Amino acid sequence: NPLIRHFSPTWRSLKKTLDIPYIISVAFYHSSLPVYSMTISTQDKINLLANLPDYPRQYKLLEDNKKTVTATLYYGPYHTDQAQIRYRGVSPNHWDAVKKSIQADLPKKSPLEGRTAYRFFVGEDKGWVRPMMWSHIAEKLGVMALDAQPARLMVNGEDAGIYDLIEGWEPSLLNRYGKPAGPLFSDKSTDAHNVDLWRSDQISNWYNRNEPAVPAESYPQLVELIRVVSQTSDPEFAREIPAVLEIHVFLRWSLVSILSGNFHQGNTENMNFYFNPETKKFEPILFDAAPSPMGARVDLRKHRVVNRLLQNDMFRKEFESLLTAYVSAHKNLKDDLVAHDQWAEKIKPDTFADTAKIQTSIEALQSIQDDRDYSEYNYLALQKMFRENGHFLYTFAPEIYPLIPITH
């Protein structure tokens, strides 16, 4: 709507008057968060803005638009004048306001604390506490997850506010878990509405983050994984899937996703796997768990691998042992909520002081509380489901997709 678009900036500015009491409350607060600084020329800032989609006619920032500019990045004694800076994030909430998600790629010969990818996400997209919270749960369950920490960002001497600083897809991730170097497979950010990542005829929607220009069809291990998932009978699937997928780890990953209330990493997007060259098996990587309240049953329809695994008695028994142990131990809920509250208290003053954020402080606080409530609700809902039925209830997807032969 043209009127809404015209008055949107004014409305956002007027809403910010609600932040005045919160800003006053932290007037003398000194942040303990790490502070990163960038210096970008005026022309390069214009170039970055020019690369954004023509929103709302174009509503996704695809790879072709993710142009970079050269800038300087400082952190403590570290600095480089060869940082490659770009706006990041597919959806508009990353970049349709003054505060935007930003990525800084450092020279490989000049890493900072062993990393070269510094990804700053706005809290309105990834959540103010959510990335740290779900990494915490993944760590407890022995599932690989990207490191996430809150950080402050300065751009050309101006405070850009608080961000989620999330680790990049680089060797630091595997090094932290003591894993040998290997491919990191993900799905492409596309504008297609009919993507199905677990069909053999759509393997081109995958890519290796280490070699993005190489066609996904060139990796026989990935071809085999998708073949087993999409083209086998139930007995064949049960027999063959343990040879290509690290089942025990994947079931723990599934537990984290179910605790979040949904499969945001599912059949159409947000899939991330590491192929271990020693075991010759795929391992899932948790990223971007977006919590929501679960329904009366555990809904598996949006993830074909989980859907097929849990229809098998042997795999479901192993999964339910994990799930029962987690939700029956009240200490897990207490530990998770304590972790959430500690992160919330840590970032709250910086959130209040952030005058660049899109949300008001009231909205940010409500978002933080919602995520906490969803975590508690889902935990208790799973407890209740088991207590009342003696087992967990599932909604399975009927496997009606055709078995399409692999073509190269």
Side-chain angles (χ1 to χ4, degrees):
N1 187 304
L3 283 175
I4 292 175
R5 291 183 64 198
H6 179 76
F7 288 107
S8 180
T10 304
W11 170 240
R12 283 175 172 170
S13 297
L14 288 173
K15 284 202 308 180
K16 288 302 183 72
T17 60
L18 299 173
D19 278 355
I20 293 174
Y22 296 95
I23 295 171
I24 293 173
S25 72
V26 293
F28 301 103
Y29 167 75
H30 295 286
S31 176
S32 61
L33 299 184
V35 180
Y36 298 80
S37 299
M38 297 177 184
T39 302
I40 309 172
S41 73
T42 300
Q43 184 57 52
D44 282 337
K45 288 184 71 176
I46 294 172
N47 292 339
L48 287 174
L49 290 171
N51 286 325
L52 290 175
D54 183 16
Y55 181 77
R57 285 181 289 275
Q58 299 169 315
Y59 59 93
K60 290 193 175 184
L61 178 56
L62 303 178
E63 289 301 318
D64 290 345
N65 295 95
K66 293 180 180 180
K67 309 299 184 183
T68 64
V69 300
T70 301
T72 302
L73 184 137
Y74 300 88
Y75 177 67
Y78 175 92
H79 94 276
T80 176
D81 57 5
Q82 295 298 314
Q84 298 300 304
I85 308 296
R86 63 177 173 86
Y87 294 135
R88 65 152 303 109
V90 176
S91 56
N93 48 335
H94 284 283
W95 38 260
D96 71 343
V98 174
K99 184 176 179 179
K100 296 172 171 56
S101 295
I102 297 176
Q103 177 150 338
D105 291 316
L106 309 182
K108 293 189 182 298
K109 64 181 181 181
S110 183
L112 171 57
E113 298 180 340
R115 291 160 56 175
T116 59
Y118 279 74
R119 309 190 303 162
F120 299 88
F121 291 88
V122 294
E124 286 85 353
D125 180 82
K126 286 292 177 279
W128 300 95
V129 172
R130 192 186 305 159
M132 288 73 76
M133 179 65 184
W134 290 107
S135 291
H136 157 80
I137 295 177
E139 293 287 346
K140 286 205 305 183
L141 290 170
V143 177
M144 284 197 293
L146 299 177
D147 180 67
Q149 301 290 332
R152 297 285 293 266
L153 184 62
M154 303 287 293
V155 178
N156 291 355
E158 295 183 1
D159 189 357
I162 184 174
Y163 281 84
D164 298 320
L165 175 56
I166 300 179
E167 183 178 19
W169 303 95
E170 56 180 329
S172 63
L173 168 64
L174 301 180
N175 292 341
R176 283 195 299 109
Y177 290 98
K179 302 286 186 180
L184 296 171
F185 290 104
S186 183
D187 61 283
K188 296 178 180 178
S189 297
T190 70
D191 199 24
H193 297 288
N194 59 347
V195 169
D196 188 337
L197 297 171
W198 295 108
R199 284 175 57 125
S200 293
D201 63 331
Q202 295 196 26
I203 192 173
S204 61
N205 289 308
W206 291 81
Y207 75 108
N208 176 5
R209 291 180 180 274
N210 301 329
E211 300 176 318
V214 177
E217 297 89 337
S218 303
Y219 299 99
Q221 306 93 340
L222 181 63
V223 172
E224 176 65 3
L225 172 66
I226 297 177
R227 182 197 69 80
V228 172
V229 172
S230 66
Q231 296 185 244
T232 55
S233 65
D234 289 342
E236 290 171 334
F237 175 81
R239 185 172 63 251
E240 296 179 24
I241 193 67
V244 293
L245 181 66
E246 198 66 71
I247 298 294
H248 308 301
V249 178
F250 187 79
L251 291 176
R252 294 198 297 270
W253 175 92
S254 303
L255 170 55
V256 183
S257 297
I258 286 170
L259 287 170
S260 77
N262 66 85
F263 282 96
H264 190 55
Q265 293 182 272
N267 294 334
T268 62
E269 59 186 347
N270 298 324
M271 281 279 80
N272 290 283
F273 283 94
Y274 158 66
F275 180 76
N276 191 321
E278 293 183 350
T279 64
K280 309 297 183 185
K281 296 182 182 182
F282 286 86
E283 301 177 27
I285 303 173
L286 182 74
F287 175 62
D288 205 13
S292 61
M294 66 179 297
R297 306 169 76 92
V298 178
D299 192 343
L300 307 178
R301 291 174 293 179
K302 292 186 177 181
H303 200 298
R304 185 163 299 126
V305 185
V306 185
N307 185 68
R308 296 204 71 183
L309 282 172
L310 296 196
Q311 291 190 65
N312 176 278
D313 290 341
M314 179 178 63
F315 298 137
R316 186 169 65 248
K317 182 178 180 181
E318 180 180 347
F319 171 76
E320 290 190 347
S321 294
L322 291 169
L323 181 55
T324 303
Y326 196 90
V327 300
S328 63
H330 188 69
K331 66 177 183 179
N332 280 320
L333 176 61
K334 181 179 179 181
D335 173 65
D336 294 345
L337 295 182
V338 166
H340 184 282
D341 293 343
Q342 288 175 341
W343 281 115
E345 287 302 311
K346 183 178 180 67
I347 69 164
K348 197 175 290 183
D350 293 273
T351 306
F352 292 166
D354 182 356
T355 59
K357 65 182 182 290
I358 303 166
Q359 293 180 333
T360 64
S361 292
I362 295 174
E363 290 171 330
L365 287 173
Q366 185 61 56
S367 176
I368 293 170
Q369 184 63 44
D370 286 346
D371 284 347
R372 186 188 194 277
D373 290 345
Y374 296 154
S375 296
E376 184 174 23
Y377 176 85
N378 291 339
Y379 185 102
L380 296 176
L382 289 164
Q383 269 191 344
K384 180 181 178 182
M385 188 187 304
F386 187 80
R387 184 174 63 250
E388 293 183 351
N389 299 281
H391 56 87
F392 297 100
L393 307 176
Y394 304 95
T395 301
F396 291 108
E399 296 296 3
I400 58 175
Y401 53 93
L403 299 182
I404 300 175
I406 298 173
T407 59
H408 296 282

